[in-house]
Amino acid sequence: MVTTEIADKIKRLEEKYAAMGQDLSSYLDGLLYADYLTYWDYIQLDVLLNLQHPRTPIPDENIFIIYHQITELYFKLTLQAIEQISFAPQLTVAGFKTQLKRINNYFRNLINSFEIMVDGMDKDQFLQFRMALLPASGFQSGQFRKIEICSTELVNLVYQPQRPGLMGAELEKVLDQIYWRSGATELSTGKKTLTLRQFELKYMSEFLQLATRYKDNNIQAQYRRLSPADQQEIIPLLKEYDTNINVRWPLMHYKSAVRYLNRKPEDIAATGGTNWQKYLPPRNKRIVFFPELWTEEELENWGKEL
């Protein structure tokens, strides 16, 4: 028996497929012959489990690869949430809070799971297989750089001493001074490492396009469009966002580097040749997405208390 509800749905389906120049009957034939969807096909499980290609036979290299792949998937989810804040047809406080909570949850999970990297690998195995990774480096995570660009006014991603001269400057000029470009220079000469040169070649034009698209639509800009009352609802979530990404997350990387690369009398260099001792500690970078939300004392002590 065809109920009124089913008849209405059939009519809507006919309209949908007619708009595509298709016949509903042909579509139904396709449904009759199609196989049932399985979990492993839906999430492409076989593909996923074959995305690890170690460069060495050392077992713990798989831990290193898989954790970084998981990290990049969380970054993808973060960028999707940012997109929904920045380009919502009509952004509401409820929608803003929902997406910020998601992002904070993603980074909270990443931060809390970093022990997989800090304590989960055998140190001797890591120091063996890491040499097969040169010059690749986690520094080259384009998605993380995109999260930074989409979060705040671009000048906030420049080290403090260079900012005054860049106020109102073209985005390309500001991007030339973005903080991480000085984090991948050779320790002895100050020249760009191959890691940085490769990274710039792949991503800089894309970063400029992204910075242009988000110039007036980044998270900070969207926050500033809210009324003072609505801003008060958002502030605690933004402060957690700022702390998670700019303090807790880099601090986890620093602790990992200390565990694996700290050695007397001289520290081991990072695979990308980055000056990790100065570059990784958040108290040294002092990058803040939303400086207006913090007191002068909090900014002065940024990254020191966690």
Side-chain angles (χ1 to χ4, degrees):
M1 178 180 178
V2 179
T3 65
T4 303
E5 182 181 3
I6 293 176
D8 179 62
K9 289 182 178 179
I10 291 173
K11 181 180 178 182
R12 289 161 60 190
L13 281 172
E14 287 176 336
E15 293 171 350
K16 174 181 178 179
Y17 287 96
M20 296 188 292
Q22 300 294 320
D23 178 68
L24 176 59
S25 178
S26 298
Y27 171 75
L28 293 176
D29 283 342
L31 284 179
L32 286 173
Y33 293 113
D35 289 334
Y36 292 109
L37 182 65
T38 62
Y39 167 80
W40 48 90
D41 285 334
Y42 179 65
I43 68 165
Q44 294 289 289
L45 184 60
D46 291 338
V47 175
L48 179 65
L49 297 181
N50 283 281
L51 288 177
Q52 295 76 49
H53 302 284
R55 302 294 296 271
T56 74
I58 299 169
D60 280 8
E61 187 181 351
N62 255 325
I63 298 174
F64 190 79
I65 294 171
I66 291 171
Y67 187 78
H68 281 82
Q69 289 176 335
I70 291 169
T71 298
E72 291 294 337
L73 291 173
Y74 271 115
F75 288 168
K76 183 175 182 177
L77 289 173
T78 297
L79 287 167
Q80 177 179 288
I82 291 173
E83 177 86 6
Q84 291 182 77
I85 292 172
S86 297
F87 296 99
Q90 185 175 1
L91 182 63
T92 64
V93 175
F96 207 145
K97 290 170 69 174
T98 294
Q99 301 303 331
L100 287 177
K101 287 177 180 178
R102 289 180 180 180
I103 296 169
N104 286 335
N105 280 333
Y106 301 149
F107 270 88
R108 196 180 302 120
N109 284 339
L110 283 172
I111 292 161
N112 291 337
S113 68
F114 209 79
E115 288 183 1
I116 294 170
M117 289 285 294
V118 176
D119 299 319
M121 294 187 301
D122 180 85
K123 182 175 181 178
D124 291 335
Q125 287 191 35
F126 173 74
L127 293 177
Q128 289 175 330
F129 74 70
R130 67 185 292 275
M131 300 312 296
L133 311 183
L134 298 172
S137 168
F139 172 93
Q140 294 175 317
S141 173
Q143 286 200 117
F144 184 75
R145 304 306 172 196
K146 290 177 182 180
I147 290 170
E148 293 180 315
I149 291 169
C150 296
S151 294
T152 188
E153 188 177 354
L154 195 61
V155 74
N156 288 331
L157 303 180
V158 175
Y159 284 128
Q160 181 65 47
Q162 284 79 47
R163 287 178 201 168
L166 293 171
M167 294 298 181
E170 294 183 357
L171 292 177
E172 188 170 9
K173 185 176 180 181
V174 180
L175 199 56
D176 282 340
Q177 299 298 320
I178 199 165
Y179 80 95
W180 47 258
R181 296 184 91 167
S182 63
T185 53
E186 294 177 5
L187 301 180
S188 56
T189 65
K191 294 181 180 178
K192 292 181 180 180
T193 62
L194 178 58
T195 297
L196 178 57
R197 297 199 304 273
Q198 289 176 328
F199 188 62
E200 290 178 334
L201 183 63
K202 179 171 177 60
Y203 283 114
M204 288 309 291
S205 61
E206 189 176 345
F207 289 160
L208 180 58
Q209 292 176 5
L210 191 73
T212 301
R213 182 167 182 256
Y214 276 84
K215 180 178 182 294
D216 299 315
N217 297 287
N218 56 68
I219 299 294
Q220 185 183 39
Q222 293 294 71
Y223 160 77
R224 289 174 174 173
R225 291 190 176 101
L226 298 176
S227 68
D230 288 342
Q231 286 179 347
Q232 291 304 310
E233 289 192 51
I234 298 293
I235 286 174
L237 292 168
L238 286 179
K239 293 181 78 171
E240 182 181 357
Y241 181 110
D242 218 347
T243 306
N244 281 341
I245 297 176
N246 290 317
V247 179
R248 297 189 178 108
W249 181 239
L251 191 60
M252 290 296 102
H253 285 75
Y254 179 67
K255 288 180 178 178
S256 178
V258 168
R259 172 176 170 77
Y260 290 106
L261 304 180
N262 185 256
R263 186 173 66 183
K264 302 299 182 181
E266 185 175 347
D267 290 338
I268 302 169
T271 52
T274 56
N275 186 356
W276 63 268
Q277 301 93 330
K278 292 184 179 180
Y279 171 73
L280 286 177
R283 67 178 181 275
N284 292 346
K285 290 195 296 184
R286 295 178 66 178
I287 296 299
V288 185
F289 291 155
F290 318 113
E292 64 265 47
L293 305 186
W294 304 93
T295 66
E296 289 186 13
E297 183 179 359
E298 288 171 327
L299 292 174
E300 182 65 28
N301 293 307
W302 191 253
K304 295 179 181 180
E305 298 180 357
L306 293 174

Coordinates of all heavy atoms in Angstrom, one line a residue, residues 83-92 222:
E83 N 35.8 26.6 8.5 CA 35.0 27.0 7.3 C 33.6 27.3 7.7 O 33.0 28.2 7.2 CB 35.1 25.9 6.3 CG 34.3 26.1 5.0 CD 35.1 26.9 4.0 OE1 36.3 27.2 4.2 OE2 34.4 27.3 3.0
Q84 N 33.0 26.5 8.5 CA 31.6 26.6 8.9 C 31.4 27.9 9.8 O 30.3 28.4 9.8 CB 31.1 25.4 9.6 CG 31.0 24.2 8.7 CD 30.4 22.9 9.3 OE1 29.2 22.8 9.6 NE2 31.3 22.0 9.7
I85 N 32.4 28.3 10.5 CA 32.3 29.5 11.2 C 32.5 30.7 10.3 O 31.7 31.7 10.3 CB 33.4 29.6 12.4 CG1 33.1 28.6 13.4 CG2 33.5 31.0 13.0 CD1 34.2 28.4 14.5
S86 N 33.5 30.6 9.5 CA 33.9 31.8 8.7 C 33.0 32.1 7.5 O 32.9 33.3 7.1 CB 35.4 31.6 8.1 OG 36.3 31.5 9.2
F87 N 32.3 31.1 7.0 CA 31.5 31.3 5.8 C 30.1 30.8 6.0 O 29.4 30.4 5.0 CB 32.2 30.7 4.6 CG 33.5 31.3 4.2 CD1 34.7 30.7 4.7 CD2 33.6 32.5 3.6 CE1 35.9 31.3 4.4 CE2 34.8 33.2 3.3 CZ 36.0 32.6 3.7
A88 N 29.6 30.8 7.2 CA 28.2 30.4 7.5 C 27.3 31.5 6.8 O 27.6 32.7 6.9 CB 28.0 30.4 9.0
P89 N 26.2 31.1 6.2 CA 25.3 32.0 5.5 C 24.8 33.0 6.6 O 24.6 34.2 6.3 CB 24.2 31.1 5.0 CG 24.8 29.8 4.8 CD 25.8 29.7 5.9
Q90 N 24.5 32.6 7.8 CA 24.1 33.4 8.9 C 24.7 32.9 10.2 O 24.1 32.0 10.8 CB 22.6 33.6 8.9 CG 22.2 34.6 10.0 CD 20.7 34.8 10.0 OE1 19.9 34.2 9.2 NE2 20.2 35.7 10.8
L91 N 25.8 33.4 10.6 CA 26.5 32.8 11.8 C 25.8 33.2 13.1 O 25.5 34.4 13.3 CB 28.0 33.3 11.9 CG 28.8 32.8 13.0 CD1 28.9 31.3 12.9 CD2 30.1 33.4 13.1
T92 N 25.4 32.3 13.9 CA 24.8 32.5 15.1 C 25.8 32.2 16.3 O 26.8 31.5 16.0 CB 23.5 31.6 15.3 OG1 24.0 30.2 15.3 CG2 22.5 31.8 14.2
Q222 N 35.5 37.1 12.8 CA 34.1 36.8 13.1 C 33.7 37.1 14.5 O 32.6 37.5 14.8 CB 33.9 35.3 12.8 CG 34.0 34.9 11.3 CD 32.9 35.5 10.5 OE1 32.8 36.7 10.2 NE2 31.9 34.7 10.0

